[in-house]
Amino acid sequence: MEATLNGRRSRFSSRIVQRYISNPLLLSERKFDIRAYLLIAHTTPYVVFYHHGYVRLSCQEYSVDTTELAAHLTNQYVQKKDPRYGDMKEDTVWTFEQLQDYLNKHVAAEKDLPRDWVFAQFAKQMQRIMLSCFHAVRHKLECRLGFFELLGFDFMIDNDMKVWLIEVNINPALHTNCAGLKQVIPPLISETLNVVIELFEKSRRKERLFPITSCHSLQLLYQETGLKLLPSVASTSRDHTASLTSLKQERTHCDQTVQLVSELAA
């Protein structure tokens, strides 16, 4: 992109312009969003999973006119800087069950929502959006045995109950600095790596990928069928062993990291 400023030509990198959602649905007068996860657990063929994730809330009551950053951005990095965070941190992260209970009690009647709208409709809308995003970029992804990716998708719900995708994070935060995060993150990391390694081992031995015995909370979103093994899958036994060793080392590192973060946050 090129532009002329004061008679001088300048070159700019690409930018994405987003419209601010000024009418978000509020929980106890506070802004919130949802961090959900998409796991590309296997690429030869593609096997993709969905995880509900959790709900992130602001410490402050929301007003579209406020200049307080913590009222507009709900992530923990911003909320931790709010002076109220120490007293409210356990209420800045909700599970999906807490979100469902709140909407059933305080929103469903006013908005004419079916009971359990979160699980019955909202989750399915997120899944459709996430799957569309995956299909939009799948041809750009490198497909090799042992490759996987855990992506964080951030969603909002506006006051008309419309679902918005805010952004996709290629390196989602895995901190566990409150009880809600401790309930979600460590099991997610453990299950992610167990599923990835199980699929890797089955591919290495040329076994059927399904059923996946280590899958519990992850939900299958997409399974590619009718695909022949790529040349990278038919690599040498030495390559297989090296990839598996790398995966196991990463699982050990992640487990240690989660344990350390949990201890520091305790």
Side-chain angles (χ1 to χ4, degrees):
M1 179 186 301
E2 291 186 353
T4 301
L5 183 62
N6 295 330
R8 302 170 61 182
R9 179 170 291 180
S10 301
R11 184 175 296 275
F12 299 93
S13 58
S14 299
R15 295 289 187 268
I16 295 177
V17 179
Q18 292 179 294
R19 187 182 73 183
Y20 183 78
I21 300 172
S22 59
N23 64 329
L25 182 69
L26 303 179
L27 303 180
S28 300
E29 302 303 320
R30 294 181 293 155
K31 189 175 181 180
F32 73 98
D33 64 16
I34 297 93
R35 163 62 58 83
Y37 295 95
L38 182 138
L39 170 64
I40 304 174
H42 198 266
T43 63
T44 55
Y46 277 119
V47 181
V48 181
F49 293 91
Y50 159 86
H51 189 279
H52 288 315
Y54 55 92
V55 182
R56 308 183 299 189
L57 298 91
S58 169
C59 292
Q60 301 185 24
E61 291 189 358
Y62 175 78
S63 168
V64 69
D65 298 318
T66 183
T67 59
E68 291 288 339
L69 189 62
H72 297 278
L73 299 179
T74 62
N75 62 67
Q76 288 286 301
Y77 177 79
V78 172
Q79 295 305 312
K80 287 168 67 175
K81 298 178 181 180
D82 190 295
R84 285 159 286 201
Y85 181 78
D87 296 327
M88 295 185 63
K89 77 171 184 176
E90 297 302 339
D91 200 34
T92 60
V93 173
W94 286 9
T95 64
F96 256 57
E97 288 76 14
Q98 286 176 287
L99 175 62
Q100 181 63 85
D101 288 344
Y102 182 92
L103 295 188
N104 280 343
K105 293 177 182 177
H106 304 287
V107 178
E110 176 189 350
K111 302 292 185 182
D112 195 26
L113 300 178
R115 186 166 183 82
D116 297 336
W117 176 84
V118 169
F119 290 104
Q121 295 187 16
F122 172 58
K124 294 179 181 178
Q125 292 184 55
M126 288 197 300
Q127 291 170 12
R128 286 194 294 268
I129 294 171
M130 295 165 79
L131 188 56
S132 294
C133 291
F134 164 72
H135 283 306
V137 301
R138 56 179 292 180
H139 64 286
K140 297 182 178 181
L141 304 179
E142 187 173 358
C143 298
R144 293 183 58 185
L145 183 63
F147 278 27
F148 70 100
E149 191 77 57
L150 182 66
L151 303 172
F153 280 67
D154 294 342
F155 292 90
M156 282 182 61
I157 305 170
D158 69 20
N159 202 44
D160 298 320
M161 306 308 295
K162 183 176 180 179
V163 178
W164 297 84
L165 172 64
I166 305 303
E167 63 181 22
V168 181
N169 299 271
I170 60 173
N171 187 25
L174 299 174
H175 304 300
T176 56
N177 48 292
C178 63
L181 292 174
K182 291 176 183 178
Q183 183 177 340
V184 174
I185 299 300
L188 171 62
I189 295 176
S190 179
E191 186 173 343
T192 291
L193 293 169
N194 287 336
V195 167
V196 167
I197 290 175
E198 179 180 341
L199 291 172
F200 174 89
E201 288 281 25
K202 288 179 176 177
S203 290
R204 185 174 66 87
R205 296 192 296 261
K206 296 181 171 58
E207 299 176 352
R208 291 182 177 273
L209 299 182
F210 291 84
I212 303 174
T213 59
S214 56
C215 185
H216 304 293
S217 61
L218 291 167
Q219 299 179 26
L220 182 64
L221 192 61
Y222 176 75
Q223 173 191 357
E224 189 174 30
T225 58
L227 180 69
K228 294 182 178 179
L229 291 179
L230 298 180
S232 59
V233 179
S235 56
T236 64
S237 175
R238 180 179 300 176
D239 291 337
H240 288 147
T241 302
S243 297
L244 179 59
T245 300
S246 177
L247 283 171
K248 288 182 176 179
Q249 289 174 344
E250 183 164 355
R251 177 171 66 180
T252 300
H253 175 70
C254 286
D255 288 344
Q256 292 172 345
T257 300
V258 170
Q259 181 179 0
L260 176 60
V261 172
S262 298
E263 291 173 353
L264 292 174

